[in-house]
């Protein structure tokens, strides 16, 4: 299906149907993505204030065959929020749709519009003595609609699940402008196909999420955090098992950190306090939330003592105050910023079966260092099998010096991930960056079904064309 650009004449038809405040200048912030891989384009940038206005926009785009790129906070790392080539699209920003429609604290449900910033949702939940557990490094700018569209993960998946597990209902505008009012607050609704889970993770290719009913949770009465030094990733996995045998579902997060991440922070974010002067090769950050009357610091001390007897840990820091707890988390949350300032040659968001994680890290590390003189920063959500296995230039070089090796490095990692039964996209989505990877490593029947769903819900192919699925048949 041929798509048409959002021409000045088309934009004028929209001006007749929408308030003037809907129209935005196409500033660079809308057309760039965090890693600088692509430069986007837009025939017009629209920021509707209501689901009805979104419906008007999509119906007009559907009728005129004009592409639409939904835009949240612009924090996505796989290029799903920009369209670098082809027909100039409508860039549809949800930035004005930030309302809290309702909070049912007794039900542990918050209904918000898709433009609400994640950190603001955390604050709103806290005002009602509740927790919205999804947390990512970009929480200060990421919008919940984008988090839902990409099925974002984050640090608390181990205990609470990823974004898909935290949404009860959705309001979605389909490609032809119809509004699906699926804002259910029910935990059980066995009435046919699960359209909610179809839309979560669809990356704006099937419709535009405009509001969501989110699951809240009680704030753990007692919280604690520790960093423990482990001799290897294999030991870290044994420590995870031990921690869960000690505290069960009280373990909220279990993050693996390599010394390279600390070294990047020390070099580029020198004001950030780190827990060790001499960076250990491997350590884990453990966060726990326990019931009232229990002592998380004491529980972590008992865990450390038990683990030390088994030679699983050799050193550690247990937070004795909220300030210390926050400092430990600041270290983990600033690893991506340290990475950004160094500039990666190739970044990999991967997931693996837990039992094969340590073996993969060792084999992958050897394969990459055999391929090129590189530094590797391996970190991530060990508890749910999600690693960020990122490759950086050796000191004194830049990523441009490795441009001729970038494809070989990515292929090396992704081929190995596939051989271990893993996924080349754990929590960042497919976007435009990994379309070829999905075709190469994905199940062909699944891909055929995905395309059939896309063709059914978006027959003109206007919704974020080129993201997730290639425009036209695979090459």
């Amino acid at each position: 299906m041929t798509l048409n650009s959002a021409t000045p004449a088309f934009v004028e038809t929209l001006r007749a149907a929408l308030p003037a405040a809907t129209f935005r200048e196409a500033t660079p912030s809308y057309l760039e993505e965090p890693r600088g891989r692509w430069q986007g384009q837009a025939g017009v940038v629209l920021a509707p204030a209501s689901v009805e206005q979104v419906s008007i926009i999509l119906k007009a785009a559907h009728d005129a065959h004009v592409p639409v790129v939904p835009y949240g906070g612009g924090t996505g790392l796989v290029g799903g929020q920009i369209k670098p080539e082809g027909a100039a699209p409508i860039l549809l920003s949800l930035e004005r749709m930030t309302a809290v429609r309702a909070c049912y604290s007794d039900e542990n449900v918050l209904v918000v519009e898709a433009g609400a910033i994640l950190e603001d949702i955390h604050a709103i939940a806290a005002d009602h003595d509740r927790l919205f557990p999804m947390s990512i490094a970009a929480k200060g700018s990421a919008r919940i609609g984008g988090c839902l569209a990409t099925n974002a993960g984050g640090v608390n998946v181990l205990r609470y699940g990823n974004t898909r597990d935290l949404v009860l209902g959705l309001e979605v505008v389909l490609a032809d402008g119809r509004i699906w009012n699926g804002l259910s607050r029910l935990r059980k609704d066995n009435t046919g196909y699960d359209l909610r889970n179809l839309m979560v993770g669809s990356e704006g290719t099937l419709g535009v999420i405009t509001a969501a009913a989110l699951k809240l949770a009680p704030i753990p009465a007692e919280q604690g955090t520790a960093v423990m030094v482990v001799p290897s990733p294999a030991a870290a996995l044994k420590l995870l098992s031990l921690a869960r045998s000690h505290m069960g579902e009280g373990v909220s997060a279990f993050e693996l950190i390599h010394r390279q991440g600390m070294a990047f922070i020390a070099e580029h974010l020198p004001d950030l306090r780190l827990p060790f002067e001499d960076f250990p090769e491997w350590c884990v950050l453990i966060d726990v939330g326990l019931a009232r009357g229990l002592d998380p610091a004491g529980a972590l001390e008992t865990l450390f003592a038990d683990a030390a007897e088994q030679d699983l840990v050799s050193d550690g820091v247990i937070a004795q105050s909220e300030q210390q707890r926050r400092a430990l988390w600041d270290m983990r949350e600033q690893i991506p910023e340290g990475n950004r300032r160094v500039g990666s040659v190739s970044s990999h968001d991967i997931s693996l079966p837990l039992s094969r994680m340590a073996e993969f890290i060792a084999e992958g590390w050897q394969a990459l260092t055999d391929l090129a003189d590189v530094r590797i920063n391996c970190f991530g959500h060990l508890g749910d099998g999600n690693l960020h296995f990122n490759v950086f230039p050796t000191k004194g070089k830049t990523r441009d010096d490795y441009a001729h090796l970038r494809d070989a490095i990515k292929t090396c990692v992704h081929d190995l991930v596939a051989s271990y039964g893993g996924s080349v996209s754990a929590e960042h989505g497919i976007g435009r960056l990994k379309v070829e990877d999905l075709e190469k490593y994905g199940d062909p029947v699944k891909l055929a079904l995905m395309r059939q769903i896309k063709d059914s819900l978006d027959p003109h192919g206007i919704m974020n064309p080129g993201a997730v699925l290639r425009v036209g048949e695979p090459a």
Side-chain angles (χ1 to χ4, degrees), residues 6 16 18 29 31 83 120 143 233 320 328 379 393 405 417:
L18 296 165
S29 62
L31 306 177
K83 185 174 184 292
D120 293 340
R143 299 181 187 274
Q320 299 300 313
L328 294 179
F379 68 102
L405 289 171
V417 168

Side-chain angles (χ1 to χ4, degrees), residues 7-24:
T7 62
F10 173 75
V11 173
E12 285 306 309
T13 66
L14 292 174
R15 289 190 188 279
L18 296 165
T22 309
F23 295 80
R24 292 284 191 268

Side-chain angles (χ1 to χ4, degrees), residues 296-342:
L300 288 166
E301 289 171 6
T302 301
L303 171 65
F304 182 87
D306 197 355
E309 287 185 3
Q310 300 179 43
D311 294 324
L312 299 179
V313 298
S314 59
D315 196 3
V317 175
I318 298 174
Q320 299 300 313
S321 67
E322 182 58 29
Q323 182 179 5
Q324 291 179 7
R325 181 172 178 266
R326 187 64 261 164
L328 294 179
W329 268 112
D330 285 344
M331 172 194 66
R332 167 60 184 89
E333 292 177 346
Q334 289 303 315
I335 290 176
E337 178 60 19
N339 288 350
R340 187 189 69 79
R341 296 196 185 191
V342 176

Side-chain angles (χ1 to χ4, degrees), residues 103-111 125 128-133 166 168 185 187 213-219:
C103 183
Y104 305 91
S105 54
D106 289 341
E107 299 180 20
N108 287 323
V109 177
L110 178 67
V111 183
H128 291 84
D129 196 29
R130 293 293 184 272
L131 171 71
F132 182 63
L166 298 173
L168 292 169
R185 310 196 310 270
R187 260 67 175 181
L214 304 174
K215 290 182 185 178
L216 304 180
I219 298 174

Side-chain angles (χ1 to χ4, degrees), residues 10 156 170 180 251 299-300 434:
F10 173 75
N156 290 322
L170 294 175
W180 171 48
V251 181
L300 288 166
K434 296 185 178 181

Side-chain angles (χ1 to χ4, degrees), residues 430-474:
I430 297 297
R432 290 171 173 78
L433 178 65
K434 296 185 178 181
V435 170
E436 290 185 6
D437 293 318
L438 181 62
E439 293 170 355
K440 179 178 180 180
Y441 302 108
D443 178 78
V445 174
K446 175 184 176 179
L447 288 171
L449 292 172
M450 288 171 61
R451 187 165 290 281
Q452 288 175 11
I453 292 169
K454 168 75 169 172
D455 291 344
S456 175
L457 294 181
D458 180 22
H460 298 332
I462 67 168
M463 298 305 306
N464 211 4
V468 183
L469 295 171
R470 186 188 304 274
V471 175
E473 294 301 319

Side-chain angles (χ1 to χ4, degrees), residues 30 65 125 154 185 250 262 287 295 468:
Y30 289 114
H65 297 186
R185 310 196 310 270
M262 292 187 187
D287 197 76
D295 176 16
V468 183

